[in-house]
Amino acid sequence: MLRVVVLGAAAGGGIPQWNCGCPVCRKARSEHPGLRSTQASIAVSADGAHWYLINASPDLRQQVIATPQLHPKAGQLRHSPIAGVILTNGEVDAVAGLLSMREGSPFTLYAHERVLAILRSNSIFNVLGENNVKRRPIEADTAFEPALPDGSPSGMEILPFAVPGKGAWYLEGKAHPAGGDGAGDTLGLRILDKGSGKYFYFLAACARVTDDLKSRLAGAALVFFDGTVWRDDELIVQGLGTKTGQGMGHISMSGEHGAIESLAGLDIGRKMFLHINNSNPALLAGSDERKAVEQAGWQIPADGMEITL
């Protein structure tokens, strides 16, 4: 049985963002604290005792404190049920939380070689000594089974696959530590329980929906999908930035080629947006955008939501 906990559903900066006075952030600070959300990550387990993080957000310490499933076992001086971290990209949103895991508890880090090269190129990540944190490369379209701390099978099969996206922002205009053409910078994951055969998909970043992606997601029981912006020029129109959603490597929720329209009719059981930016008006209950999201059968999860498959 797969157990999933939504640790955070927000995009970079979280909600409210520390320096933002947009309508969503203002409401989150005052009359609508339910809008508050940490940066996107989930935890998944096949046995309820050993957990794997999908991305390590900058808010990881706060997320672990808020999640009893990730607390140390009672009666043990040092312990963590976190057995591994699986990275889908090398953005700050996905890797900065690793620095909050430097206190010596062992776990395994799984990432594409391009992301591992980024970590190797920045000496700050050396605080995760390889005596405790093993780094394991993963490849697109090659399934793997994360190991438990004693080396035994976890009961989960993870299938990474490439999705349209972009490399990390902080590398724009610079040589990538791994060189090459960018294949592997942005991954989606299919996460399967080997015992029951049930599975779900996780895509925190996706620039467009291809026919191949549609065929993968069709019939899935659960899909977490990139919900960064409602419309492509959202940050520009609101005066919050100069980049479009596409320019950041993210599809919009709405529009002719947006996620809602592109993934309609695929018989997906539960559809959840995550990595939602504070600029996105769909966050506001009662807004036209939120109504459109819900009428299309999508949900916006709250931090701490638990799902069982």
Side-chain angles (χ1 to χ4, degrees):
M1 180 170 61
L2 284 176
R3 298 168 174 86
V4 184
V5 177
V6 178
L7 301 180
I15 300 168
Q17 183 175 302
W18 69 281
N19 64 342
C20 187
C22 74
V24 170
C25 288
R26 289 201 308 271
K27 290 179 183 295
R29 290 190 186 97
S30 54
E31 71 265 33
H32 295 298
L35 284 169
R36 296 172 188 170
S37 182
T38 58
Q39 294 166 84
S41 176
I42 65 171
V44 60
S45 174
D47 62 10
H50 302 91
W51 292 82
Y52 296 82
L53 307 182
I54 311 300
N55 294 335
S57 93
D59 297 321
L60 180 59
R61 178 179 174 277
Q62 177 182 345
Q63 292 168 341
V64 171
I65 290 171
T67 307
Q69 296 92 327
L70 303 183
H71 291 177
K73 187 180 294 183
Q76 294 197 23
L77 185 60
R78 285 291 179 98
H79 168 263
S80 174
I82 299 173
V85 179
I86 303 163
L87 301 178
T88 65
N89 61 69
E91 289 285 5
V92 172
D93 303 2
V95 305
L98 293 171
L99 299 177
S100 296
M101 303 178 74
R102 64 189 184 276
E103 282 81 16
S105 287
F107 66 93
T108 304
L109 178 62
Y110 301 89
H112 193 278
E113 178 56 37
R114 292 182 63 79
V115 175
L116 293 178
I118 292 173
L119 301 183
R120 287 195 299 269
S121 72
N122 189 331
S123 60
I124 195 171
F125 289 101
N126 291 341
V127 297
L128 301 170
E130 294 224 23
N131 288 336
N132 286 314
V133 181
K134 306 301 182 186
R135 301 185 185 188
R136 298 286 183 258
I138 62 178
E139 298 180 16
D141 300 316
T142 300
F144 69 97
E145 182 168 5
L148 297 180
D150 64 1
S152 60
S154 64
M156 294 191 299
E157 179 186 89
I158 313 293
L159 177 65
F161 55 94
V163 296
K166 295 190 66 175
W169 278 23
Y170 53 85
L171 292 176
E172 286 187 358
K174 300 177 182 178
H176 195 290
D181 60 3
D185 279 332
T186 305
L187 296 177
L189 302 175
R190 187 195 70 183
I191 302 172
L192 177 143
D193 177 29
K194 296 183 73 173
S196 68
K198 294 183 178 180
Y199 61 89
F200 71 96
Y201 284 91
F202 178 91
L203 297 94
C206 181
R208 69 181 185 279
V209 174
T210 63
D211 289 340
D212 174 71
L213 184 55
K214 287 183 182 181
S215 67
R216 289 182 187 271
L217 302 186
L222 170 66
V223 171
F224 290 100
F225 196 82
D226 185 350
T228 306
V229 294
W230 172 254
R231 51 182 280 182
D232 190 53
D233 61 354
E234 179 173 296
L235 274 76
I236 297 170
V237 169
Q238 295 184 28
L240 295 173
T242 60
K243 288 181 177 285
T244 63
Q246 285 291 303
M248 298 184 292
H250 297 285
I251 192 173
S252 61
M253 289 183 179
S254 68
E256 184 177 355
H257 301 292
I260 292 175
E261 180 175 305
S262 297
L263 298 178
L266 296 184
D267 192 30
I268 298 169
R270 298 182 72 176
K271 299 179 288 188
M272 296 200 176
F273 282 123
L274 85 171
H275 198 271
I276 306 167
N277 201 55
N278 54 42
S279 60
N280 194 326
L283 287 165
L284 298 173
S287 66
D288 290 342
E289 294 84 1
R290 181 61 163 267
K291 292 176 183 176
V293 165
E294 293 174 347
Q295 287 169 0
W298 287 82
Q299 294 177 262
I300 293 177
D303 290 17
M305 176 184 286
E306 185 169 5
I307 302 164
T308 302
L309 294 178

